[in-house]
Amino acid sequence: MFANRFPERLRGLIGRAPRPGRDGDVLAFCRCGAVHTCFMTRAIDVAFADEAGHVLQCHRSVQPW
């Protein structure tokens, strides 16, 4: 999934239950230098990538709040 518009970016994964049978979901934000975990109910993994898709930084199990 891509979050291109402001409402999608604002909501992010808040209130979205993990889909059954999947290890996790991916939500991509274009041109994003920071993320928040306000109102999240579970830890998330965050990866920052360049325009070519190369991972620059990866943060695992970022806790809510």
Side-chain angles (χ1 to χ4, degrees), residues 6-57:
F6 180 75
E8 297 164 339
R9 294 171 68 89
L10 181 63
R11 178 176 178 199
L13 294 173
I14 296 170
R16 298 178 196 257
R19 292 187 273 180
R22 294 183 174 240
D23 289 336
D25 293 314
V26 173
L27 181 60
F29 296 87
C30 299
R31 296 182 306 270
C32 178
V35 296
H36 71 78
T37 60
C38 301
F39 306 106
M40 295 292 298
T41 58
R42 63 189 185 276
I44 60 172
D45 295 336
V46 179
F48 293 95
D50 63 16
E51 291 181 8
H54 300 108
V55 175
L56 304 173
Q57 291 182 11

